Amino acid sequence: GAGVSQTPSNKVTEKGKYVELRCDPISGHTALYWYRQSLGQGPEFLIYFQGTGAADDSGLPNDRFFAVRPEGSVSTLKIQRTERGDSAVYLCASSLGGSYSNEQFFGPGTRLTVL
Amino acid sequence: AQTVTQSQPEMSVQEAETVTLSCTYDTSENNYYLFWYKQPPSRQMILVIRQEAYKQQNATENRFSVNFQKAAKSFSLKISDSQLGDTAMYFCAFMKSNTGKLIFGQGTTLQVKP
């Protein structure tokens, strides 16, 4: 079956612009996660959805970052007034549920470059 | 706060040989889970193996096994009979019980040489 997909695969934008990154989870997965991976580093947790609601958004760095999952499936990560420091690969993952026993399946990521 | 440390930025191993990647973590939690993920150049993160902290027996998945030392907060990954396809970046990760939130280490780049 289809895995987690993310669009676009690459996004180049200018400082100060607004961007949206999309994640399509595996069908039937109720939990969805966003992580950010800077060059040469491990992924850093941003936010976790269980269904439509954010169960944990403690990793969002500031109020320029926002994520939604209105119908409990597709999620969009929104970044306002982008800064050069936002440049990274944004990874999305999904799982059947939010517990340990449910493996997180990762997408290929969106590489965001802010000029 | 939990932290995960991988002290080996790069490792290399000859094909068919065995290699061990190190990971230590810091937590005050008693119930948690530990993972090793593989990230090839394609960027897609793949789960290699996982361990429940309450289990004393070390997890094994085919050529991959772990050495889990709870008191020492150490969680190393052993890859036996290394294959060229094992070349990738490997991340150790921690999850507090039932949170869903993974905390990753900095990663170890493994090169398997023919």
Side-chain angles (χ1 to χ4, degrees):
Chain A
V4 177
S5 62
Q6 293 186 244
T7 53
S9 55
N10 287 283
K11 175 72 177 177
V12 180
T13 191
E14 294 179 344
K15 181 175 177 295
K17 298 287 189 185
Y18 168 83
V19 296
E20 289 189 352
L21 311 180
R22 176 187 169 110
C23 172
D24 281 83
I26 293 172
S27 178
H29 280 193
T30 62
L32 185 145
Y33 313 82
W34 283 99
Y35 295 86
R36 178 169 70 174
Q37 186 174 21
S38 300
L39 190 62
Q41 300 295 315
E44 176 189 21
F45 171 81
L46 296 176
I47 187 169
Y48 151 44
F49 288 91
Q50 185 62 257
T52 60
D56 183 349
D57 65 357
S58 62
L60 294 177
N62 52 59
D63 61 7
R64 294 187 299 105
F65 288 74
F66 189 71
V68 296
R69 195 186 185 201
E71 297 178 0
S73 177
V74 170
S75 176
T76 304
L77 179 65
K78 308 180 181 196
I79 311 174
Q80 298 178 321
R81 305 183 303 280
T82 52
E83 299 177 357
R84 292 195 179 88
D86 298 335
S87 295
V89 174
Y90 288 80
L91 296 172
C92 176
S94 71
S95 66
L96 277 171
S99 69
Y100 149 82
S101 59
N102 300 125
E103 178 181 344
Q104 292 186 25
F105 292 85
F106 283 79
T110 293
R111 183 179 298 281
L112 175 65
T113 303
V114 182
L115 301 178
Chain B
Q2 291 81 25
T3 58
V4 178
T5 302
Q6 295 178 247
S7 58
Q8 306 154 313
E10 296 180 358
M11 297 275 287
S12 65
V13 63
Q14 291 297 130
E15 196 175 5
E17 295 193 346
T18 295
V19 64
T20 299
L21 308 184
S22 302
C23 172
T24 58
Y25 59 94
D26 188 24
T27 185
S28 57
E29 301 291 329
N30 196 43
N31 296 320
Y32 54 88
Y33 311 101
L34 296 163
F35 305 80
W36 278 97
Y37 279 86
K38 169 184 177 181
Q39 188 177 41
S42 65
R43 287 200 315 237
Q44 197 114 16
M45 196 82 74
I46 303 162
L47 178 65
V48 174
I49 196 166
R50 56 185 167 184
Q51 174 84 40
E52 299 97 322
Y54 65 85
K55 286 189 177 178
Q56 292 185 340
Q57 186 172 8
N58 289 322
T60 300
E61 287 285 344
N62 301 313
R63 298 184 295 108
F64 299 88
S65 61
V66 298
N67 183 3
F68 174 46
Q69 302 288 330
K70 190 172 184 179
K73 296 180 182 173
S74 169
F75 184 61
S76 61
L77 174 69
K78 184 170 86 170
I79 306 174
S80 305
D81 185 25
S82 297
Q83 300 176 359
L84 297 177
D86 295 334
T87 293
M89 197 150 185
Y90 287 80
F91 292 96
C92 178
F94 171 100
M95 181 192 291
K96 181 180 166 186
S97 179
N98 293 326
T99 62
K101 171 182 173 179
L102 288 166
I103 298 170
F104 288 87
Q106 310 93 312
T108 296
T109 301
L110 176 66
Q111 175 88 38
V112 179
K113 298 179 179 179

